[in-house]
Amino acid sequence: MASLVRVSATGLRTLDDLGDVAGQRVLVRVDFNVPLDDGAVADDTRIRLAIPTLQALRERGARLLLVSHLGRPKGPDPQWSLRPIADHLAGLLGEEVVLAPGLGDVPAGELVMLENIRFEAGETKNDPALAARLGALADAYVNDAFGSAHRAHASTEGIVHHVERSVAGLLFAREVQTLARLLDEPRRPLVAVLGGAKAGDKIGVINRFLEIADTLLLGGGMSYPFFAVSGRRIGRSLCDEAGLEAARDVLARPGTEGRLRLPVDLVVADDFSADARLRVSDPIDVDDDWEAIDIGPRTRELYARAIREAGTVFWNGPVGAFEIEPFAAGTHAIARAVAETEAITVVGGGDSGAALTRFGLQDRVTHLSTGGGAALEFIEGRVLPGVAALTGP
Ligand code: ADP
Ligand code: MG
């Protein structure tokens, strides 16, 4: 195993540690799991984000073998072929991308993409035999798929044990460094905004921010169980047993008061549809046939002010059902405040990212994470197998 110099505070090995790759084959794990529409790439954000790493390696003379998954096929399935993605990448780069149909048939070439790695049964089982076959195809391994780093799969973890050199790509390293800085040395005050449908899903993230953040602003469906366990009426608002349990847990923790903030008013609707009747519930007291759908105007103002006064902001999860136009005002107000604050801003989560994009604010944040579940697990403090594999000398 070649010795690698540690350059970053996180101990993650990066492209700077890779050494000479001229004329060598580098296997690059990318996250090209993009939405398709009628066989064409519907959103190529993830593909574009990987290009700096691919270009950096090409400039150093490497021959690239790209490996990605797409969807969740249970074996070879033409519906989940990477063909449209190879074609799309070829268009972006202005050069040919050869699609290799399988591990046994990988042509030499400057730019080769392996067919969907989930066509191999051993991928999600982290089968050592598959990992060894992948490793045998490469002189070095670069992982730029942070969104898959919370899974120990053959192409994200196993392969590292079968190549001499393995490092994180530029996007992967940026994700880890940004999140590590947010957790370890944030510019204060650190304000976290957590929304989304369910508190039960994000209890680990809530608890972590109660430890490290100066202020935690809750919104969206995940806030309603907190009202329910405090004896408020929440009508038909989203709330399940796991959410109630999470809320009881959080409220029983010492130090929660003073850090945790809940909405002071809510927009409530008599139906989950664009033509529902709406009103503001202030103080919070929701009639039996109504349901909370968004934060109210006073909460928008209070949360926006906390975001404006922050040194660092982390935002995950819409604070209302923003996909439906009349219920988007709260999430729009949060997105605008995050875009306008002087703070360092980190946004994680598929739906929060989609909300930012929908409001045209995706370029107005310091870092928009592609990590999804991986970013949330990192924040919870879990060891991500894909990160651990690339950490250390
Ligand atoms: P992310 O993908 O950013 O992590 P989540 O997946 O946790 O976010 O939650 C996003 C979903 O939560 C959105 O689809 C949004 O519509 C929904 N949501 C938030 N608040 C409400 C609400 N009051 N009622 C129904 N759905 C809500
Ligand atoms: Mg989501």
Side-chain angles (χ1 to χ4, degrees):
M1 187 76 69
S3 86
L4 298 167
V5 190
R6 246 174 88 154
V7 291
S8 69
T10 57
L12 193 72
R13 301 189 297 276
T14 67
L15 289 189
D16 294 339
D17 305 311
L18 187 59
D20 184 23
V21 287
Q24 298 179 14
R25 171 83 95 187
V26 178
L27 189 152
V28 189
R29 177 57 160 97
V30 285
D31 181 358
F32 288 170
N33 185 31
V34 298
L36 296 178
D37 185 14
D38 209 7
V41 173
D43 177 350
D44 67 357
T45 309
R46 288 177 170 186
I47 301 176
R48 288 174 183 276
L49 284 168
I51 287 179
T53 295
L54 305 186
Q55 271 167 349
L57 290 166
R58 294 295 301 284
E59 276 161 23
R60 289 158 69 166
R63 290 180 297 120
L64 305 186
L65 173 60
L66 310 183
V67 175
S68 179
H69 76 286
L70 175 66
R72 297 172 173 227
K74 290 277 171 276
D77 179 348
Q79 197 198 327
W80 295 108
S81 170
L82 288 184
R83 165 57 63 195
I85 291 162
D87 291 346
H88 193 91
L89 178 66
L92 289 176
L93 295 175
E95 56 186 306
E96 193 191 2
V97 178
V98 177
L99 186 68
L103 282 169
D105 189 7
V106 177
E110 297 297 306
L111 196 47
V112 179
M113 185 182 291
L114 184 66
E115 195 38 290
N116 195 341
I117 190 63
R118 294 263 176 109
F119 289 180
E120 294 285 339
E123 165 65 356
T124 56
K125 300 189 186 100
N126 199 7
D127 175 16
L130 175 60
R133 287 173 71 203
L134 285 168
L137 291 171
D139 300 301
Y141 169 74
V142 174
N143 189 353
D144 218 16
F146 180 69
S148 301
H150 57 321
R151 313 245 185 261
H153 290 171
S155 71
T156 62
E157 200 277 337
I159 182 173
V160 171
H161 308 289
H162 299 277
V163 288
E164 286 229 342
R165 289 169 290 159
S166 53
V167 304
L170 298 169
L171 176 64
F172 192 115
R174 181 150 48 88
E175 293 274 6
V176 170
Q177 277 152 8
T178 303
L179 293 173
R181 167 135 194 249
L182 176 93
L183 298 175
D184 297 338
E185 47 182 37
R187 194 161 74 182
R188 296 213 174 254
L190 170 60
V191 174
V193 189
L194 294 179
K198 291 181 174 180
D201 289 352
K202 292 182 184 170
I203 179 74
V205 181
I206 295 174
N207 282 334
R208 185 76 194 266
F209 279 119
L210 282 172
E211 283 162 17
I212 64 168
D214 299 284
T215 304
L216 172 54
L217 309 171
L218 289 192
M222 68 148 61
S223 64
Y224 312 141
F226 287 81
F227 296 119
V229 301
S230 317
R232 309 266 194 129
R233 295 198 306 154
I234 61 166
R236 288 194 289 113
S237 307
L238 276 181
C239 186
D240 61 8
E241 198 41 56
L244 292 169
E245 212 170 287
R248 276 188 218 105
D249 242 48
V250 166
L251 292 174
R253 286 166 68 94
T256 295
E257 227 169 306
R259 285 175 189 242
L260 180 69
R261 286 166 62 184
L262 291 164
V264 295
D265 58 352
L266 296 171
V267 174
V268 298
D270 67 348
D271 187 31
F272 193 81
S273 71
D275 42 22
R277 283 193 297 155
L278 300 181
R279 49 165 115 109
V280 173
S281 185
D282 179 3
I284 288 159
D285 179 38
V286 185
D287 285 340
D288 288 349
D289 285 341
W290 290 62
E291 65 184 296
I293 217 77
D294 197 4
I295 55 174
R298 279 207 305 132
T299 308
R300 292 204 291 263
E301 194 39 56
L302 288 168
Y303 282 16
R305 189 186 309 154
I307 291 167
R308 279 198 298 272
E309 292 169 357
T312 306
V313 179
F314 176 80
W315 175 33
N316 168 263
V319 294
F322 79 97
E323 296 90 343
I324 303 175
E325 172 56 32
F327 312 150
T331 302
H332 198 170
I334 298 294
R336 211 181 298 118
V338 168
E340 286 169 1
T341 180
E342 300 290 318
I344 294 164
T345 51
V346 181
V347 178
D351 294 296
S352 329
L356 263 186
T357 304
R358 161 136 167 235
F359 304 132
L361 299 171
Q362 71 279 5
D363 298 326
R364 304 270 309 273
V365 296
T366 313
H367 182 72
L368 175 53
S369 175
T370 55
L376 294 183
E377 287 196 18
F378 191 95
I379 288 169
E380 285 180 43
R382 295 204 217 173
V383 174
L384 275 47
V387 174
L390 303 178
T391 301

